């Protein structure tokens, strides 16, 4: 079910900070039309940290209801409070999401035992497929392979989004998990190599801007057509980089707005992309074939 290009969907907002449901609807349809293989609703790229609990659950429910099973919907339900993550995960199950994506608890820096117990409690409490999400550059905590190995034996923990960009980490994880455990890249710049070495896909920021090329690249590498996939990936290389000129999702929201797909609104403490970076990002978009 979880394979190929899975967009880490941005959450459109209006100038008054309210959620833009019309733009969200259009984005979802655009992604399905352009070949995106799955949609991640309210992941960290979807500004999960600035949405309140009601908004968070509403976005998940609206995306699931709109998609109507055409592609899988993965709900971002991680939090640095286990009780909050439990509530969000239950809301995603109630909304009939296909799976949940749970980032490691950020800021409070739990021990490996804390990480294990956090995910174990949620998995055993809510009967929905769950993906672990390790992104130490953002959370200040690194879920080690030994901890992933302990969690992977829980039936509904089905895989991990690994965003370190390290192929050595991927191989270490493969060595300590069962054959059907899923490995999903969380780093656009290294996703091709990650899939070549056994990953099943990527949860992509870049797919917000070029969903057709991202999905085609994933399809090719998963079919073993690595050189053809590499041609696309090289075309996207400057965009992969430019989308992190400032903290994600600042650049990607600006890029999607620049394409006319939504307004350029983002919630504090995040701010719109600095003027000095806009020309760089525009050029990277043009290099990737985006018409501006």
């Amino acid at each position: 079910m979880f394979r190929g290009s899975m967009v880490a969907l941005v959450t459109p907002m209006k100038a008054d900070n309210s959620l833009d449901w019309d733009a969200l609807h259009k984005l979802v349809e655009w992604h399905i039309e352009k070949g995106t293989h799955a949609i991640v609703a309210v992941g960290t790229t979807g500004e999960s940290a600035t949405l309140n609990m009601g908004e968070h659950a509403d976005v998940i429910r609206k995306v699931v209801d709109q998609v109507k099973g055409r592609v899988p919907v993965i709900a971002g339900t991680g939090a640095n409070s286990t009780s909050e993550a439990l509530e969000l995960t239950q809301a995603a199950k109630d909304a009939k999401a296909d799976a949940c994506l749970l980032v490691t608890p950020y800021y409070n820096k739990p021990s490996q035992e804390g990480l294990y117990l956090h995910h174990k409690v949620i998995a055993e409490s809510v009967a929905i497929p769950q993906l672990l999400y390790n992104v130490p550059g953002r959370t200040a905590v690194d879920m080690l392979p030994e901890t992933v190995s302990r969690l992977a034996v829980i039936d509904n923990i089905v895989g991990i989004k690994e965003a370190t960009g390290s192929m050595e980490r991927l191989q270490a994880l493969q060595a300590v998990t069962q054959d059907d455990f899923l490995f999903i890249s969380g780093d656009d710049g290294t996703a091709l190599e990650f899939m070549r070495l056994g990953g099943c896909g990527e949860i992509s920021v870049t797919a917000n801007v070029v969903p057709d090329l991202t999905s085609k690249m994933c399809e090719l590498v998963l079919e073993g057509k690595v050189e053809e996939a590499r041609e696309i990936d090289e075309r996207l290389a400057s965009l992969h980089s430019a989308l992190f000129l400032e903290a994600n999702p600042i650049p990607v929201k600006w890029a999607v707005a620049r394409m006319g797909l939504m307004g350029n609104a983002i919630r504090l403490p995040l701010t719109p992309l600095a003027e000095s970076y806009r020309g760089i990002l525009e050029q990277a978009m043009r290099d990737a074939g985006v018409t501006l």
Side-chain angles (χ1 to χ4, degrees):
M1 181 182 293
F2 309 116
R3 181 178 174 85
S5 174
M6 297 166 254
V7 63
L9 190 68
V10 295
T11 301
M13 297 169 182
K14 297 179 180 179
D16 65 1
N17 266 345
S18 63
L19 302 186
D20 189 340
W21 300 114
D22 289 341
L24 179 65
H25 184 94
K26 291 174 184 175
L27 279 180
V28 168
E29 290 302 318
W30 183 65
H31 276 285
I32 292 173
E33 175 191 334
K34 293 295 184 180
T36 293
H37 301 114
I39 294 173
V40 179
V42 208
T44 49
T45 300
E47 288 177 86
S48 56
T50 66
L51 270 62
N52 64 41
M53 296 287 280
E55 290 173 327
H56 197 128
D58 284 346
V59 173
I60 293 168
R61 183 171 56 254
K62 285 181 181 292
V63 172
V64 171
D65 289 349
Q66 181 183 345
V67 168
K68 291 184 172 61
R70 290 176 288 173
V71 297
V73 175
I74 302 167
T77 61
N80 64 344
S81 160
T82 303
S83 61
E84 184 177 322
L86 268 169
E87 184 177 343
L88 289 170
T89 303
Q90 184 61 54
K93 182 179 186 297
D94 294 343
K96 297 182 169 52
D98 295 287
C100 290
L101 175 69
L102 292 109
V103 69
T104 52
Y106 41 86
Y107 183 77
N108 44 21
K109 300 177 75 170
S111 65
Q112 294 299 307
E113 183 66 14
L115 291 174
Y116 169 72
L117 292 172
H118 170 84
H119 286 284
K120 179 175 184 288
V121 164
I122 297 165
E124 292 179 346
S125 300
V126 188
I128 187 172
Q130 296 178 23
L131 296 164
L132 309 171
Y133 176 16
N134 188 45
V135 56
R138 293 293 292 255
T139 62
V141 62
D142 186 6
M143 183 183 291
L144 299 178
E146 295 78 16
T147 304
V148 176
S149 178
R150 295 174 70 193
L151 290 166
V153 300
I154 300 173
D155 286 345
N156 59 325
I157 295 181
V158 299
I160 185 170
K161 175 186 175 183
E162 176 55 57
T164 59
S166 166
M167 299 309 112
E168 290 78 12
R169 174 58 63 90
L170 170 61
Q171 292 168 330
L173 289 167
Q174 290 170 324
V176 296
T177 53
Q178 61 270 30
D179 290 343
D180 60 351
F181 195 71
L182 302 176
F183 301 102
I184 300 170
S185 172
D187 178 63
D188 279 298
T190 57
L192 186 153
E193 187 68 7
F194 190 99
M195 286 183 281
R196 189 185 72 81
L197 293 175
C200 65
E202 64 166 323
I203 294 177
S204 172
V205 174
T206 301
N208 280 284
V209 181
V210 282
D212 47 355
L213 290 177
T214 308
S215 62
K216 184 62 175 177
M217 186 277 289
C218 290
E219 289 168 2
L220 287 169
V221 70
L222 292 172
E223 291 169 3
K225 300 174 182 177
V226 177
E227 291 312 309
E228 291 179 53
R230 203 178 304 281
E231 289 178 12
I232 296 174
D233 196 49
E234 289 173 354
R235 180 177 170 187
L236 301 180
S238 63
L239 183 58
H240 295 330
S241 176
L243 287 173
F244 290 86
L245 285 166
E246 288 194 282
N248 183 48
I250 290 172
V252 70
K253 289 200 82 174
W254 187 88
V256 176
R258 180 69 179 82
M259 294 165 68
L261 297 171
M262 66 179 195
N264 185 29
I266 195 165
R267 283 186 180 172
L268 289 170
L270 300 179
T271 54
L273 184 68
E275 196 81 44
S276 59
Y277 293 129
R278 295 179 184 184
I280 300 170
L281 180 49
E282 281 185 334
Q283 187 57 55
M285 292 166 72
R286 290 190 181 95
D287 291 345
V290 177
T291 301
L292 297 175

